[in-house]
């Protein structure tokens, strides 16, 4: 069930049986020579929606722009400041909590979002306590990064041994190729496997990683690999969702 394709009456009926909701969150940022700008949002949305279908869960609107300040030297990248993203997450959760949702299960597609998502959860908890103290609703928020789901790492090592890297990875590019075969791009990779390491700010990122990749060879991406990635992620994450909503 997708929230934006439901009527209010359907949401009201759903809440009689479940307080859980899947919240896809991604990013809109460069993903190397053949990766789509929307890669992280697409991965979170595709996997989050399939988790919802597998677990019978409501799925909220995708938060498609995340914290991507470090990608801003590449055209097309968009970012929310950490404080803005925190406020967006807080308001999404607060408005749904008003209607009775209590278990917020964020399926994340972008590593750069993680600190801010975690901070936002505590912002929500602190605000609810400040407003209602011991009578605050029993709101719980959980975060899963799809690439850390059980089964996904092993599949990546099987399909892309040694060249998964950490940005513009063949795994995430494969997921977008599976989701949008009409938008598959090809481009030369020079060098074939991108350098690995850290970075400071956006200018430093582009200086160290001129084509936008870190440690990866996304020329190995294939839509059929993406299908297997999605299946592995959905199996693992659906189990995590069920445990989260059933937990005492
Ligand atoms: Ni990504």
């Amino acid at each position: 069930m997708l929230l934006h394709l439901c009527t209010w009456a359907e949401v009201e009926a759903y809440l009689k049986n479940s307080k859980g909701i899947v919240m896809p969150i991604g990013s809109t940022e460069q993903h190397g020579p053949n990766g789509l700008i929307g890669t992280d949002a697409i991965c979170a949305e595709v996997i989050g929606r399939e988790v919802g279908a597998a677990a019978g869960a409501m799925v909220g609107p995708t938060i498609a722009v995340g914290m991507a300040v470090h990608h801003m030297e590449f055209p097309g990248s968009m970012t929310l400041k950490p404080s803005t993203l925190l406020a967006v997450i807080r308001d999404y959760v607060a408005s749904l909590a008003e209607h009775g949702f209590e278990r917020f299960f964020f399926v994340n597609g972008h590593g750069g979002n993680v600190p801010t998502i975690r901070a936002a959860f505590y912002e929500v908890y602190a605000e609810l306590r400040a407003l209602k103290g011991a009578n605050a609703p029993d709101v719980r928020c959980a975060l899963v990064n799809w690439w850390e789901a059980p089964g996904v790492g092993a599949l990546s090592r099987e399909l892309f041994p040694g060249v998964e890297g950490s940005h513009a990875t063949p795994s995430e590019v494969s997921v977008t190729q599976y989701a949008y075969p009409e938008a598959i791009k090809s481009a030369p990779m020079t060098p074939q496997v991108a350098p690995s390491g850290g970075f400071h700010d956006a200018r430093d990122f582009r200086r160290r990683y001129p084509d936008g990749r870190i440690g990866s060879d996304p020329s190995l991406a294939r839509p059929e690999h993406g299908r297997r990635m999605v299946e592995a992620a959905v199996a693992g994450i659906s189990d995590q969702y069920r445990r989260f909503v059933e937990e005492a």
Side-chain angles (χ1 to χ4, degrees), residues 142-167:
L143 167 65
V144 296
N145 299 314
W146 75 264
W147 64 92
E148 294 173 349
V152 169
L155 184 57
S156 158
R157 285 188 292 278
E158 175 198 324
L159 295 172
F160 315 118
V163 297
E164 173 71 2
S166 59
H167 184 68

Side-chain angles (χ1 to χ4, degrees), residues 55-79:
M58 187 69 77
V59 182
T62 302
I63 300 176
V65 178
M67 205 305 287
V69 171
H70 47 299
H71 291 289
M72 290 304 291
E73 283 285 313
F74 294 88
S77 299
M78 296 173 66
T79 188

